[in-house]
Amino acid sequence: MRPDISVIMSVYNGETYLEEAIESVRNQTFRNWELIVINDCSTDSTAEILAVFAAKDERIKVHPNEVNLKLPKSLNKAISLCEGKYIARMDADDICLPTRLEKQYRFMEENPGVALSSCRFMTVKNGVYMSGGAGGRCDHEALRAMLLTINPILHPGVIAKAEVLKKFNYDTTLTCTEDLELWTRLVLENQTIQILPECLLIYRLHDKQITSTTLERQRTEVLGIQRKYYGALLREPDEAMQNFYINGIYFKDHADIGKFLQYAKWLKRETAKNFDRSIINYVLFEVLAEYKRRGMSKATVLKAALSFPPCFLVKEILRRKKTAKTDIAKCVKVANALGLKQTGGTKEYPIFEQSITGVRK
């Protein structure tokens, strides 16, 4: 029987978390799936672990690479092997919550105009869990605009129409930003993307991730991607604006309110023809919210917030509080099911840890 969903995973030396990741797919309430795993020349016990799973579950199909292809090429190989109507991404160190595939399949079926969607999530690092994305917008127009400033789509939480991924594929010239490039390319090709506001994945953070070991390469690749995206929708910013964008907007390591206000003025002017002004205000407000979460003083953030229209500020603050409350309630429900207890954080970003009697995630 043809699977409804093909789950694709590429793994390189993933023995530490691989069993837990695969078991989370096997434990899905949705049963009609196949798992395509590309073993990208692992030198640890990854091959042995995969062999055990493939032997006990015929839905798990392992394909070893003869040479190390890296992630984009391996994912394209996996996509070419998929038989499902939809393709879902999964990493070898993350955890699917039990209803992930069921809810994502239903969402895609009920929204046939959506080419690709992702989900809300919780992060975990060293036994500490946090909610992700609470209060953010999930609609296509907002995500299209957010791609000007950040990557709003969680890659391992994605599900997409198989025909879309088979047509577009990942850019194999990239090494750690292939997801951002694909999202921007899909948007430029008028493909609809959304986020399902359900917490369906536990996203693991650790020091060996690509995202934490290749920062300079990321900066170079992101700038290249965004030059194309900005150039297609607006125009490329000058060198000084690009420098602030990559350091103060995308990565936010060098936040500067004065430069932020200059960037905001420039962005509003340049997006006037292709974006609704309220959505651009929302995107810029998200940047400020992240500045505040990273420790910028309330007084400094307030100075920049006063540059927004008062009506927008009131509406956005009310919308965000209402949405965040709903998102966090869902997150708390997931945490309770996992046997976690809240130990700190804020209303928008609570922190959870395993209780002594809690179940292992």
Side-chain angles (χ1 to χ4, degrees):
M1 182 174 66
R2 178 187 177 188
D4 290 312
I5 299 176
S6 297
V7 182
I8 62 172
M9 175 192 296
S10 176
V11 56
Y12 173 72
N13 289 350
E15 63 180 6
T16 305
Y17 304 113
L18 183 58
E19 292 183 50
E20 199 170 10
I22 294 178
E23 283 291 2
S24 77
V25 177
R26 296 186 71 229
N27 291 332
Q28 290 295 295
T29 55
F30 187 93
R31 306 303 297 169
N32 190 23
W33 52 262
E34 65 174 351
L35 173 60
I36 306 293
V37 185
I38 307 298
N39 181 7
D40 199 16
C41 297
S42 299
T43 58
D44 61 2
S45 63
T46 289
E48 289 77 11
I49 294 170
L50 292 175
V52 170
F53 276 106
K56 65 182 178 181
D57 195 327
E58 63 181 8
R59 296 173 297 177
I60 299 174
K61 303 164 186 178
V62 180
H63 299 269
N65 287 339
E66 294 183 0
V67 295
N68 184 262
L69 296 180
K70 305 300 183 184
L71 184 59
K73 286 184 179 180
S74 293
L75 291 180
N76 285 346
K77 178 179 177 179
I79 289 170
S80 72
L81 297 167
C82 290
E83 298 181 3
K85 179 180 180 180
Y86 300 107
I87 297 176
R89 273 284 287 118
M90 178 65 184
D91 280 338
D93 53 0
D94 296 329
I95 305 295
C96 290
L97 294 174
T99 59
R100 176 193 170 181
L101 296 184
E102 177 186 346
K103 290 183 177 180
Q104 288 194 304
Y105 178 81
R106 184 188 310 136
F107 178 78
M108 296 298 288
E109 287 287 286
E110 293 175 353
N111 296 274
V114 174
L116 175 147
S117 66
S118 191
C119 61
R120 294 285 191 233
F121 58 96
M122 292 177 69
T123 63
V124 59
K125 184 174 184 179
N126 300 326
V128 178
Y129 297 72
M130 293 184 66
S131 62
R137 286 178 56 169
C138 300
D139 58 287
H140 172 77
E141 287 304 314
L143 297 177
R144 174 175 173 260
M146 290 175 73
L147 281 167
L148 292 166
T149 58
I150 61 169
N151 183 352
I153 302 293
L154 180 70
H155 193 190
V158 156
I159 187 170
K161 292 179 178 178
E163 63 192 56
V164 170
L165 289 189
K166 288 177 182 287
K167 176 181 178 181
F168 290 97
N169 274 305
Y170 291 94
D171 185 339
T172 58
T173 66
L174 302 173
T175 58
C176 53
T177 57
E178 71 286 335
D179 53 336
L180 175 65
E181 191 281 333
L182 180 57
W183 316 153
T184 57
R185 186 153 40 95
L186 288 175
V187 167
L188 292 178
E189 292 290 338
N190 298 314
Q191 300 291 319
T192 299
I193 61 176
Q194 288 191 23
I195 294 175
L196 172 61
E198 296 284 345
C199 182
L200 300 176
L201 188 85
I202 296 177
Y203 180 58
R204 195 185 302 275
L205 301 174
H206 54 84
D207 295 334
K208 292 183 179 180
Q209 284 174 301
I210 289 178
T211 49
S212 63
T213 58
T214 57
L215 188 55
E216 286 308 311
R217 196 187 310 159
Q218 282 188 74
R219 292 176 187 274
T220 300
E221 291 185 2
V222 167
L223 272 178
I225 293 165
Q226 295 298 54
R227 286 191 192 102
K228 293 179 181 178
Y229 193 58
Y230 273 67
L233 295 174
L234 323 172
R235 67 180 174 90
E236 287 187 31
D238 61 27
E239 186 175 349
M241 192 73 76
Q242 287 184 37
N243 184 61
F244 175 67
Y245 165 80
I246 198 66
N247 293 302
I249 299 294
Y250 193 89
F251 288 101
K252 301 177 183 67
D253 297 325
H254 301 284
D256 183 303
I257 286 299
K259 291 180 180 179
F260 168 82
L261 291 173
Q262 292 177 12
Y263 170 82
K265 184 177 180 180
W266 178 87
L267 190 65
K268 289 178 182 180
R269 182 178 68 247
E270 294 296 323
T271 55
K273 292 183 180 180
N274 293 323
F275 292 87
D276 184 270
R277 175 58 64 87
S278 65
I279 290 178
I280 296 302
N281 280 329
Y282 161 73
V283 168
L284 292 167
F285 189 81
E286 283 287 303
V287 175
L288 281 183
E290 184 62 22
Y291 281 175
K292 183 175 180 293
R293 284 192 289 270
R294 293 189 177 210
M296 183 175 283
S297 70
K298 290 183 179 180
T300 304
V301 172
L302 179 60
K303 175 184 176 182
L306 292 176
S307 67
F308 291 93
C311 186
F312 162 80
L313 274 181
V314 173
K315 288 183 177 179
E316 177 56 26
I317 290 172
L318 292 176
R319 183 209 66 79
R320 189 174 186 82
K321 285 185 176 181
K322 181 179 179 181
T323 305
K325 183 178 180 180
T326 300
D327 290 343
I328 294 304
K330 294 176 181 178
C331 182
V332 170
K333 185 176 180 180
V334 168
N336 289 338
L338 293 172
L340 306 177
K341 61 178 181 179
Q342 187 169 344
T343 59
T346 65
K347 290 182 179 180
E348 283 192 33
Y349 291 88
I351 294 174
F352 304 89
E353 293 184 29
Q354 290 181 332
S355 61
I356 296 176
T357 57
V359 296
R360 187 169 182 265
K361 71 168 183 60

